[in-house]
Amino acid sequence: MKQVTIDPSFWELFPDAQVNILFANGIDNHDTDNNYDERKKLLANATHEADKFLTNETFRLNPVVDQWRQAFQQFKKKKGARSSIEALLKRANQGRKFEPIEPLVDVYNSISLSYGVPVGIEDRNKIAGDLHLGVAKGGEAFRPVGAEEDEPALEGEVIYYDDEGAVCRCLNWREAQRTMLTEDSQNVVAVMEAINSEQIERANEAMEELSKRINQYFGVNASQVYRLTKDQPVADVPDNLIKK
C-alpha cells in the first residue's frame, strides 16, 4: 500500500467533507496485564467524556447521531447500518462499560468517544494495492469480522476498498476480517471522516490526540496528519514507512 485516495464519487455526495489520515509503523498490539488495566481506565474516562454528546434524552436527536443518520441516508446501505460513532455512543448512553479488546482498538475507541468522531484503523500490510474511499459498483467481496460467508457490497454503498474488495462497508460501519487489526498488526492506517465544519474541527483535534496516544502507548512516532478534501484527495504513505 502506497497511498489513500478519496474518489470523486465520495465528494459528489459530501462536497464539504474532510477525511483525516494517519500512518504508523512498529506497533506492538499484544495484550499485557499492565496495559489492560491502563486501557480500562482510558475507556472509562472516555465514556464519561462522551456525555457531552448525549445531551438529549431522545438518543437519535443528539446532534452527532442525527448528523450521521442523515449522512447515511445519502447512499445505499444495508438495513440497520449506522456510523461507528453512533454504535459507541449508544453503548455509553445505555450505561454499558467498555472492556479492553486489544491495545490499538482501545486507544482509537477512546478517541472516538472523547471527540464524538468515527475512527477506524486497518492493518496496512493486509491492504491489496492502495486504499480507496468511494461509491461501490456493487458486488465487491466482503466478509465481516466473525462471519463465515461473504456479504458483498451493494451498488451505491459508500465503502473503503482495495484491489481485492471492500475493506469497510458504509464508511466505518463494519470492517472486513481480511484487513482487521490483530495482535500481530504492526503497520497501520487510521481514517477519520467529518462531514461539516464543526465535525472537522473535532476531527482535527482527535487525530492529533490519536497521534500522541500512539506515541504514548506504543512508543512510535506516527506520520503527519493528512487532511483530505475534494481539492486534495490523496495521501501518500511516507517513503520511510513503505518498506518497514
Side-chain angles (χ1 to χ4, degrees), residues 99-146:
E99 296 295 333
I101 300 173
E102 60 186 35
L104 190 52
V105 173
D106 298 333
V107 166
Y108 81 70
N109 278 342
S110 73
I111 292 290
S112 192
L113 285 163
S114 295
Y115 291 89
V117 293
V119 185
I121 299 186
E122 301 295 331
D123 188 325
R124 229 171 58 237
N125 291 353
K126 299 176 182 176
I127 301 294
D130 293 326
L131 183 65
H132 291 257
L133 173 61
V135 175
K137 296 178 180 178
E140 287 87 348
F142 179 82
R143 181 168 296 183
V145 174

Side-chain angles (χ1 to χ4, degrees), residues 47-64:
T47 304
H48 177 71
E49 291 182 14
D51 286 345
K52 61 181 174 285
F53 303 113
L54 298 169
T55 56
N56 196 306
E57 290 185 3
T58 304
F59 178 71
R60 64 179 175 80
L61 296 181
N62 285 288
V64 172

Side-chain angles (χ1 to χ4, degrees), residues 30-118:
H30 289 83
D31 207 350
T32 70
D33 291 340
N34 289 336
N35 67 35
Y36 182 94
D37 291 338
E38 189 172 359
R39 282 151 40 215
K40 193 168 185 177
K41 293 178 182 178
L42 182 68
L43 289 166
N45 291 337
T47 304
H48 177 71
E49 291 182 14
D51 286 345
K52 61 181 174 285
F53 303 113
L54 298 169
T55 56
N56 196 306
E57 290 185 3
T58 304
F59 178 71
R60 64 179 175 80
L61 296 181
N62 285 288
V64 172
V65 176
D66 182 59
Q67 289 169 15
W68 280 110
R69 286 198 181 188
Q70 291 186 43
F72 271 49
Q73 292 176 3
Q74 303 304 307
F75 56 84
K76 185 73 172 179
K77 63 183 182 300
K78 189 172 180 178
K79 184 178 181 180
R82 296 281 190 265
S83 172
S84 62
I85 181 55
E86 176 174 338
L88 292 175
L89 290 177
K90 185 174 183 179
R91 291 183 63 184
N93 191 58
Q94 294 171 338
R96 297 166 61 189
K97 293 182 179 180
F98 289 85
E99 296 295 333
I101 300 173
E102 60 186 35
L104 190 52
V105 173
D106 298 333
V107 166
Y108 81 70
N109 278 342
S110 73
I111 292 290
S112 192
L113 285 163
S114 295
Y115 291 89
V117 293

Side-chain angles (χ1 to χ4, degrees), residues 168-224:
C168 282
R169 290 184 56 182
C170 290
L171 295 169
N172 264 318
W173 166 60
R174 187 159 293 172
E175 68 175 341
Q177 188 168 288
R178 175 172 61 88
T179 59
M180 65 179 283
L181 294 177
T182 69
E183 64 177 11
D184 296 322
S185 296
Q186 296 183 354
N187 305 331
V188 302
V189 54
V191 300
M192 186 182 298
E193 310 96 5
I195 53 175
N196 59 40
S197 59
E198 188 266 340
Q199 287 188 11
I200 288 171
E201 183 177 353
R202 284 189 282 111
N204 289 342
E205 294 176 359
M207 199 58 122
E208 293 295 343
E209 183 62 23
L210 177 61
S211 179
K212 292 177 183 177
R213 291 190 189 180
I214 286 175
N215 179 262
Q216 176 185 353
Y217 285 91
F218 304 100
V220 301
N221 293 319
S223 72
Q224 71 178 80

